[in-house]
Amino acid sequence: MFLVGAVAVGILQTVIILKIWKIYGIVSKLSKEKRNTVTVLTVGITVLMNYLLFQKQWESTDSINSIVVYTLLAGIAGIDLKEKKIPNKLLMAGMMIRTGIILSECIINFLEIKRIMIHSITGFVFGLVFLFILCTISRQGIGYGDVKLFAWLGYCVGILDTYNILFYSALFTACAGLYLVLIKKESKKTEIPFGPFVFMGTYLVLFMK
């Protein structure tokens, strides 16, 4: 049953992710053979991730929230990797969808409204403020797009998971930086897109919950 759901949702997510990449000119720059390869890999990875997450048997709103976060974040990661930018339109779409999910959660768990609202608002404020401070300290080594990205993530997953996502994202980025400098002999000033590593960190945190 988990596998059937993972395949169905994975295919739908892949369609959306590829559509996002197409809108921002990511896949259109690839040859037909490479586009097919990207499609197969995206389906395979998405189905596997869904299968692992679905076994946790979360509540329906939590599962939907995770699916939305994964889908949009995958789209953002691909764009950031290729174009070094994080589109505001995708973040706004994510905020709107999350707001709809919060309203659904409040209706389903009417007695938990206060907890639900505090969970999302504190996550949003933490992601926004803490990343803005890091952005300022690093002299935009962390960009304003990353600040907005973590504000959205905080709104979706709360303050604790946002902190953990930041930790693992930074860890993965540091490992990539060492690889580029020590193995590839790149300059220490080489720009590394944060989005793909945030995607990896987010999935790891969701998987460990």
Side-chain angles (χ1 to χ4, degrees), residues 16 58 76 78 83 94 100 103 119 129-130 153-154 156 160 165 170 172:
I16 296 173
W58 291 334
I76 290 170
E83 304 294 334
L103 292 176
H119 175 78
V129 174
F130 192 66
L153 279 175
C156 292
L160 180 59
I165 290 170
F172 292 145

Side-chain angles (χ1 to χ4, degrees), residues 131-201:
L131 264 293
F132 181 77
I133 292 173
L134 291 181
C135 176
T136 303
I137 294 175
S138 66
R139 297 182 180 179
Q140 297 189 30
I142 292 177
Y144 290 117
D146 300 319
V147 175
K148 290 179 283 187
L149 175 61
F150 269 89
W152 166 63
L153 279 175
Y155 191 49
C156 292
V157 302
I159 187 171
L160 180 59
D161 284 347
T162 303
Y163 175 81
N164 289 331
I165 290 170
L166 177 60
F167 172 79
Y168 287 112
S169 302
L171 180 62
F172 292 145
T173 304
C175 291
L178 287 174
Y179 171 78
L180 290 175
V181 172
L182 299 179
I183 307 300
K184 291 293 186 177
K185 305 301 180 181
E186 297 281 350
S187 168
K188 293 181 180 180
K189 295 182 179 181
T190 299
E191 185 178 355
I192 301 176
F194 201 30
F197 301 104
V198 175
F199 172 78
M200 294 167 59

Side-chain angles (χ1 to χ4, degrees), residues 3-152:
L3 181 58
V4 174
V7 171
V9 175
I11 292 174
L12 177 60
Q13 286 177 294
T14 300
V15 171
I16 296 173
I17 292 168
L18 293 178
K19 182 66 175 178
I20 291 172
W21 288 345
K22 183 178 180 180
I23 291 173
Y24 287 91
I26 305 301
V27 293
S28 60
K29 298 177 181 179
L30 303 176
S31 64
K32 184 177 180 180
E33 182 179 346
K34 289 184 177 180
R35 286 201 299 269
N36 292 336
T37 301
V38 168
T39 300
V40 172
L41 286 175
T42 304
V43 170
I45 294 172
T46 302
V47 169
L48 175 61
M49 288 183 168
N50 284 336
Y51 180 72
L52 295 174
L53 288 178
F54 286 179
Q55 293 188 69
K56 295 181 178 296
Q57 299 183 353
W58 291 334
E59 293 183 5
S60 58
T61 51
D62 290 332
S63 296
I64 293 171
N65 186 59
S66 297
I67 290 169
V68 170
V69 169
Y70 172 88
T71 305
L72 289 179
L73 200 50
I76 290 170
I79 296 168
D80 195 27
L81 180 64
K82 292 295 184 180
E83 304 294 334
K84 304 295 190 298
K85 67 178 182 180
I86 297 176
N88 290 329
K89 289 182 179 180
L90 291 181
L91 295 178
M92 287 301 299
M95 292 291 291
M96 293 172 64
I97 295 172
R98 175 56 184 161
T99 299
I101 293 174
I102 289 174
L103 292 176
S104 299
E105 289 178 334
C106 291
I107 293 173
I108 295 172
N109 301 300
F110 183 75
L111 298 178
E112 297 290 325
I113 291 179
K114 183 178 179 179
R115 179 189 62 79
I116 293 170
M117 296 303 296
I118 290 176
H119 175 78
S120 296
I121 293 173
T122 54
F124 173 82
V125 172
F126 172 79
L128 182 66
V129 174
F130 192 66
L131 264 293
F132 181 77
I133 292 173
L134 291 181
C135 176
T136 303
I137 294 175
S138 66
R139 297 182 180 179
Q140 297 189 30
I142 292 177
Y144 290 117
D146 300 319
V147 175
K148 290 179 283 187
L149 175 61
F150 269 89
W152 166 63

